[in-house]
Amino acid sequence: MPNWTLKQLESFVWVAKLGSFRATAERLNTTQPNISVRISQLEAVLGVRLFHRDSGSVALTPIGHSLLGHAERVLVASEEFSQQSIRSDQQIGILRLGVAELIAQTWLRDYMLDLRQVFPNVDVELRVDLTINLREELVSRALDLCLLNGPISNFNITNVDLGSVPYLWVASPRLALAGSDIATLAAHTILTHARNTRHFVELSAHFRELWEKPMRIVPSSSLSACLQMTIDGLGIAPLPRTVVEKPLAAGELVEIPYHWKPSALVFTASFAHTPASFLLRRSAELASDRAARHH
């Protein structure tokens, strides 16, 4: 009687995670018929039915559910065994990397150089986007690793700490602000992050609670655009410290010592830990090391 193979187990785990033979084929760089054959062969070897298949939909059977954890542990053990003999420079493939804009504007370049040095034969597909979008892409497995405003609360996701960045209130010196109280701030356009961010929610709630008169809060999905508009004197803004350090040093911005600030941004390197991947785990560790040096 033939034995099962690691490729069959890998296909089983990915079909269970993605709920699709087609998506699994794309993820494993093969064809949908190959995935179907692997699953059928595995079912034949085990003598059980792992999936219900109905009009294109795929769902685990009860026995499939019970075997999934065992398959994942076998793949983890296989990955750990393989990495004892495979050097980083022998790793090949594609790393689909999602990055929040703040990191893209600060230490992403150095991190990309770190990746190239450790994994010279791995190609990086880069996407810079809002954290809310990156989260969705990571959970759906469209991205492999994300450096974002975390952590992500999902039992399939591992989060590696990348530190935090506090906010500073800043303005162009051309505005010549006469004070730093709430009335002074409310008299100006306040520039902020996009509406679907925690930053915008906190900012709106703060002024709604303490200021009853009309005021203007202008959100933007682009951190760089928000920074430039602040430098140009189009409004004032609470911005991450790492973004405003150079403009402050150059005299393009001045700090406003307002008593309240949005919560500091906490960043994580987040990736799905099943199936196990040395590439993802080591890439997250490299991000943590680079973030620590930057901060």
Side-chain angles (χ1 to χ4, degrees):
M1 182 177 181
N3 295 321
W4 49 261
T5 67
L6 288 175
K7 283 188 177 295
Q8 291 168 357
L9 288 188
E10 182 183 42
S11 299
F12 168 46
V13 170
W14 276 111
V15 171
K17 297 296 181 184
L18 300 177
S20 166
F21 280 64
R22 179 187 58 78
T24 299
E26 293 176 356
R27 184 65 181 79
L28 299 181
N29 196 29
T30 186
T31 64
Q32 185 170 332
N34 277 347
I35 299 299
S36 296
V37 168
R38 291 177 190 176
I39 297 300
S40 296
Q41 290 174 340
L42 181 60
E43 290 177 327
V45 168
L46 298 176
V48 299
R49 192 168 185 82
L50 298 172
F51 294 101
H52 294 300
R53 304 167 178 83
D54 182 23
S55 301
S57 64
V58 181
L60 282 167
T61 62
I63 188 64
H65 272 292
S66 67
L67 291 176
L68 180 59
H70 297 290
E72 290 174 338
R73 287 191 287 274
V74 170
L75 291 177
V76 168
S78 173
E79 176 74 13
E80 292 176 348
F81 177 79
S82 298
Q83 297 316 316
Q84 297 303 314
S85 60
I86 298 178
R87 303 191 309 271
S88 294
D89 60 3
Q90 293 176 313
Q91 289 278 336
I92 59 173
I94 296 174
L95 174 63
R96 298 172 300 177
L97 177 65
V99 181
E101 188 182 3
L102 176 62
I103 294 176
Q105 289 191 17
T106 50
W107 51 269
L108 176 61
R109 173 185 173 277
D110 292 332
Y111 174 62
M112 296 289 283
L113 293 174
D114 295 338
L115 284 176
R116 174 162 294 186
Q117 182 176 12
V118 176
F119 297 111
N121 297 313
V122 172
D123 295 322
V124 177
E125 292 182 356
L126 180 65
R127 176 176 175 182
V128 178
D129 205 339
L130 296 175
T131 284
I132 189 172
N133 297 329
L134 298 178
R135 285 172 183 258
E136 293 178 0
E137 296 289 293
L138 182 63
V139 171
S140 69
R141 307 300 180 102
L143 291 172
D144 300 316
L145 171 68
C146 288
L147 313 181
L148 43 61
N149 186 198
I152 295 179
S153 299
N154 184 296
F155 67 92
N156 284 319
I157 302 297
T158 293
N159 299 287
V160 177
D161 181 44
L162 299 180
S164 62
V165 180
Y167 279 92
L168 300 177
W169 280 92
V170 292
S172 167
R174 287 177 286 178
L175 294 181
L177 267 64
S180 59
D181 58 353
I182 191 169
T184 301
L185 270 61
H188 294 269
T189 296
I190 296 180
L191 307 170
T192 182
H193 297 322
R195 290 184 181 276
N196 53 0
T197 63
R198 185 184 66 183
H199 175 98
F200 179 86
V201 172
E202 289 185 357
L203 186 72
S204 300
H206 173 76
F207 282 99
R208 187 167 56 247
E209 179 181 352
L210 299 179
W211 189 254
E212 298 180 353
K213 299 179 182 179
M215 59 179 300
R216 191 178 186 205
I217 298 178
V218 177
S220 171
S221 61
S222 171
L223 183 61
S224 58
C226 189
L227 172 63
Q228 189 58 55
M229 287 190 292
T230 307
I231 292 174
D232 292 339
L234 298 178
I236 62 176
L239 290 170
R241 183 190 63 197
T242 53
V243 170
V244 299
E245 284 176 340
K246 289 183 178 179
L248 284 171
E252 297 176 305
L253 292 174
V254 293
E255 183 177 356
I256 307 170
Y258 185 55
H259 68 90
W260 176 89
K261 300 177 181 66
S263 300
L265 289 170
V266 177
F267 289 96
T268 60
S270 302
F271 62 95
H273 52 251
T274 55
S277 170
F278 170 76
L279 171 62
L280 297 184
R281 186 172 68 252
R282 184 71 184 109
S283 297
E285 291 170 352
L286 290 173
S288 180
D289 292 343
R290 175 52 61 185
R293 288 196 292 271
H294 174 77
H295 293 315

